[in-house]
């Protein structure tokens, strides 16, 4: 009932096993529904799926390719979830929209959109309409907007991202400053960072405040580097010196605001721009957290949810990298110790057998291993500090961000904003484990709010 028509070596072993399950043949459609429902249940499990979500994406895609009767069952299962989307957790809803956008992009943008056209009769904040808009936004991250629009029924065109380039309104507002034109001319002439820094000292600070100068320079840099991520990074690196000086004067929140504002409305660039600012060390994670907390009552709008995940993911990745480096050094140390022990024992055995020449070689190998041990021990001593520092940063960033957002929405926010905050808390419950009480207390005195936060953290109230 569930045998594939064809097989390819490119399919994952999990797909092969699911496709060849010895299921009963009297109700083959029910067997396929069961597999589809199980895959979705695993992918959308809270707080996190057992495997990375893309693992389930690939299995579903492969099953659709090798079993001709599976796609309709998958689509009907998706339809049932779409009808009940208002009862689905926000985090699970995000994962479902990620999967659907990926699925559609891998199958020539084919989807029965006509069955979703009724969402245009719903209010802007209706769950089904918001889900449909989110799927289209993520689909535009994976394909050209023009292609997506051609594949879409005309009734749903208003749900497509309105802006696929820079936010012209934000750029035009920055262009009203007199110094903006001067900075644009300097960038067009490819003057380097030290030259712009010199201009700031000689004339810039006399013409405008540091905040105006930072906004003008950052907008000019991002506008000029809008062609692609490579151009974006090249321009940021070229003018890192003046940007850092201005950030020290007015705070990194201004630069984060520019990155988010310039790309507001774009399907994907705002979170990427903020991530590049962090990676190039132009702003600190604390600045991103402060910027997000200033918008706590609007959390979830304007890429704020994605940017929150970016900053949490960034500090967690730094911690994982530090731990990985320490583990690598420990592995090398163990190998060197084993090599020294083995060479020493071999030298003794060879000497006892009168094979002195070979024993000397073994002793030399032992000496080299001992030297390596000293080197690795020294490296290990310096590897602990980065792990401790990055661990402290992760704890501080996640506590301040999640605690601040919980406190911000406790005084009054929409249900949608509160759900987004709880989803963020749930996503990072592991990092918040030591500070669960502080997060719960930030919810205020209302028992229902505290219970919701405790449930998101996975701890008893």
């Amino acid at each position: 009932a569930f045998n594939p028509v064809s097989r390819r070596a490119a399919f994952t072993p999990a797909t092969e096993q699911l496709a060849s399950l010895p299921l009963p043949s009297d109700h083959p459609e029910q067997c396929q529904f069961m597999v589809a429902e199980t895959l979705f249940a695993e992918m959308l499990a809270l707080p996190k799926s057992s495997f990375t979500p893309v693992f389930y994406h690939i299995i579903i895609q492969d099953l659709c390719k090798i079993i001709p009767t599976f796609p309709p069952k998958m689509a009907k299962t998706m339809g049932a979830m779409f009808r009940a989307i208002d009862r689905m957790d926000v985090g699970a809803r995000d994962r479902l929209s990620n999967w659907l956008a990926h699925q559609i992009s891998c199958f020539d943008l084919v989807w029965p959109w006509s069955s979703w056209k009724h969402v245009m009769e719903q209010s802007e904040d209706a769950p089904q309409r918001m889900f449909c808009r989110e799927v289209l936004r993520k689909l535009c991250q994976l394909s050209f907007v023009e292609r997506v629009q051609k594949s879409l029924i005309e009734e749903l065109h208003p749900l497509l991202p309105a802006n696929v380039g820079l936010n012209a309104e934000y750029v035009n507002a920055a262009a009203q400053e007199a110094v903006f034109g001067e900075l644009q001319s300097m960038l067009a002439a490819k003057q380097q960072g030290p030259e712009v820094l010199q201009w700031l000292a000689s004339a810039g600070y006399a013409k405008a405040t540091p905040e105006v100068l930072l906004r003008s320079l950052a907008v000019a840099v991002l506008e000029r580097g809008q062609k692609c991520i490579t151009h974006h990074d090249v321009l940021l690196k070229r003018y890192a010196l003046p940007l850092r000086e201005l950030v020290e004067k007015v705070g990194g929140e201004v630069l984060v605001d520019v990155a988010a504002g310039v790309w507001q409305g774009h399907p994907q660039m705002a979170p990427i721009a903020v991530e590049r600012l962090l990676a190039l060390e132009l702003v600190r994670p604390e600045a991103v957290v402060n910027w997000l907390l200033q918008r706590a009552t609007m959390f979830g709008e304007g890429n704020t949810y994605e940017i929150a995940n970016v900053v949490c993911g960034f500090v967690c990745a730094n911690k994982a990298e530090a731990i990985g480096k320490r583990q690598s050094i420990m592995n090398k140390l163990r190998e060197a110790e084993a090599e020294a022990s083995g060479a020493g024992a071999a030298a003794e055995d060879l000497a006892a057998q009168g094979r002195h020449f070979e024993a000397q070689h073994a002793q030399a190998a032992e000496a080299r291993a001992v030297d390596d041990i000293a080197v690795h021990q020294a490296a290990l001593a310096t590897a602990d500090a980065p792990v401790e520092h990055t661990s402290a940063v992760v704890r501080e960033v996640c506590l301040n961000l999640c605690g601040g957002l919980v406190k911000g929405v406790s005084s009054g926010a929409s249900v949608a904003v509160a759900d987004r905050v709880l989803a963020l808390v749930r996503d990072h419950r592991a990092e918040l484990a030591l500070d669960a009480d502080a997060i719960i207390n930030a919810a205020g005195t209302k028992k229902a709010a505290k219970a919701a936060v405790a449930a998101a953290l996975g701890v008893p109230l």
Side-chain angles (χ1 to χ4, degrees):
F2 216 71
N3 289 327
V5 174
S6 61
R7 297 291 185 90
R8 293 187 314 180
F11 297 138
T12 63
T15 305
E16 295 281 359
Q17 292 174 16
L18 283 172
S20 57
L21 285 174
L23 300 175
S25 58
D26 51 346
H27 297 292
E29 68 287 346
Q30 293 182 8
C31 297
Q32 294 179 17
F33 275 127
M34 181 183 69
V35 170
E37 290 170 3
T38 302
L39 287 170
F40 282 118
E42 289 290 319
M43 182 175 69
L44 304 180
L46 295 174
K48 289 185 178 181
S49 53
S50 300
F51 302 98
T52 182
V54 74
F55 172 74
Y56 302 98
H57 296 195
I58 293 172
I59 290 178
I60 294 173
Q61 289 168 15
D62 284 354
L63 288 174
C64 289
K65 291 174 183 177
I66 62 178
I67 305 176
T69 56
F70 183 73
K73 312 301 185 299
M74 177 273 296
K76 287 184 178 180
T77 306
M78 175 63 223
M81 290 187 289
F82 181 68
R83 288 189 293 273
I85 203 73
D86 59 320
R87 295 187 284 112
M88 185 177 289
D89 177 84
V90 171
R93 200 181 303 175
D94 280 340
R95 270 182 267 166
L96 185 61
S97 62
N98 286 335
W99 163 77
L100 185 55
H102 191 189
Q103 176 80 11
I104 295 171
S105 71
C106 291
F107 288 88
D108 297 325
L109 304 180
V110 175
W111 188 254
W113 295 113
S114 58
S115 62
W116 286 16
K117 64 182 179 181
H118 66 277
V119 302
M120 297 308 298
E121 301 172 3
Q122 299 175 351
S123 61
E124 287 288 337
D125 59 350
Q128 287 188 344
R129 180 167 178 148
M130 291 176 65
F131 179 81
C132 187
R133 182 187 292 109
E134 189 67 7
V135 169
L136 291 174
R137 184 181 72 85
K138 292 174 178 177
L139 189 56
C140 289
Q141 296 176 2
L142 302 172
S143 182
F144 293 106
V145 177
E146 294 78 9
R147 285 197 62 210
V148 175
Q149 186 172 6
K150 288 180 180 178
S151 70
L152 198 63
I153 60 174
E154 189 173 352
E155 290 88 342
L156 296 181
H157 284 183
L159 298 183
L160 286 169
N163 180 29
V164 293
L166 293 179
N167 181 359
E169 184 178 349
Y170 194 96
V171 175
N172 291 337
Q176 301 303 313
E177 300 292 343
V179 293
F180 183 79
E182 292 186 61
L183 289 167
Q184 266 192 327
S185 300
M186 296 175 74
L187 267 61
K190 294 187 177 181
Q191 294 189 23
Q192 300 301 304
E195 295 175 280
V196 175
L197 197 61
Q198 185 178 1
W199 175 84
L200 288 174
S202 61
Y205 291 126
K207 296 181 178 182
T209 64
E211 180 175 345
V212 170
L213 288 168
L214 179 55
R215 287 188 183 276
S216 299
L217 177 58
V219 171
V221 166
L222 296 178
E223 181 187 32
R224 193 159 187 82
Q226 65 177 297
K227 185 176 180 180
C228 64
I229 299 296
T230 301
H231 283 74
H232 180 277
D233 275 15
V234 167
L235 269 293
L236 286 175
K237 291 176 182 177
R238 182 180 298 168
Y239 299 104
L241 282 175
L243 286 171
R244 286 197 181 102
E245 179 175 298
L246 291 167
V247 164
E248 289 178 3
K249 292 181 180 294
V250 299
E253 295 85 354
V254 176
L255 189 52
V256 175
D257 187 65
V258 171
V262 164
W263 290 110
Q264 183 178 356
H266 191 279
Q268 61 181 338
M269 274 305 299
I272 292 175
V274 173
E275 189 276 332
R276 299 315 301 153
L277 294 180
L278 289 166
L280 297 173
E281 298 183 347
L282 294 172
V283 299
R284 295 174 59 80
E286 294 83 355
V288 182
V289 171
N290 292 338
W291 181 84
L292 287 164
L293 294 181
Q294 293 168 6
R295 291 152 182 79
T297 56
M298 301 180 295
F299 188 68
E301 300 177 10
N303 296 116
T304 48
Y305 180 71
E306 290 82 358
I307 291 173
N309 279 311
V310 162
V311 67
C312 291
F314 178 81
V315 295
C316 289
N318 286 345
K319 176 183 175 181
E321 182 181 4
I323 292 174
K325 288 181 179 179
R326 183 178 65 176
Q327 187 61 47
S328 176
I329 295 171
M330 291 179 65
N331 292 340
K332 291 178 181 179
L333 177 60
R334 294 192 187 99
E335 291 174 3
E337 289 174 341
E339 185 177 349
S341 176
E348 292 179 2
D349 291 342
L350 290 169
Q353 297 173 21
R355 299 160 62 182
H356 300 294
F357 181 76
E358 293 170 291
Q360 289 177 352
H361 278 283
Q363 290 171 349
E366 181 184 12
R368 288 193 298 270
V370 169
D371 291 340
D372 289 342
I373 289 173
V375 171
H376 297 322
Q377 286 177 336
L380 187 60
T382 61
D384 288 332
V387 173
E388 293 173 2
H389 172 70
T390 53
S391 298
V393 170
V394 167
R395 184 177 178 183
E396 179 184 3
V397 166
C398 292
L399 171 61
N400 290 343
L401 177 58
C402 294
L405 288 172
V406 168
K407 184 178 180 179
V409 302
S410 64
S411 57
S414 66
V415 174
V417 171
D419 285 345
R420 279 290 179 188
V421 171
L422 291 175
L424 183 72
V425 171
R426 186 184 298 109
D427 288 343
H428 300 286
R429 60 164 58 173
E431 292 78 27
L432 296 168
L434 297 176
D435 301 295
D437 290 341
I439 301 295
I440 293 172
N441 291 334
T445 58
K446 295 181 179 178
K447 189 172 182 180
K450 285 189 162 187
V453 174
L457 289 166
V459 297
L461 184 60

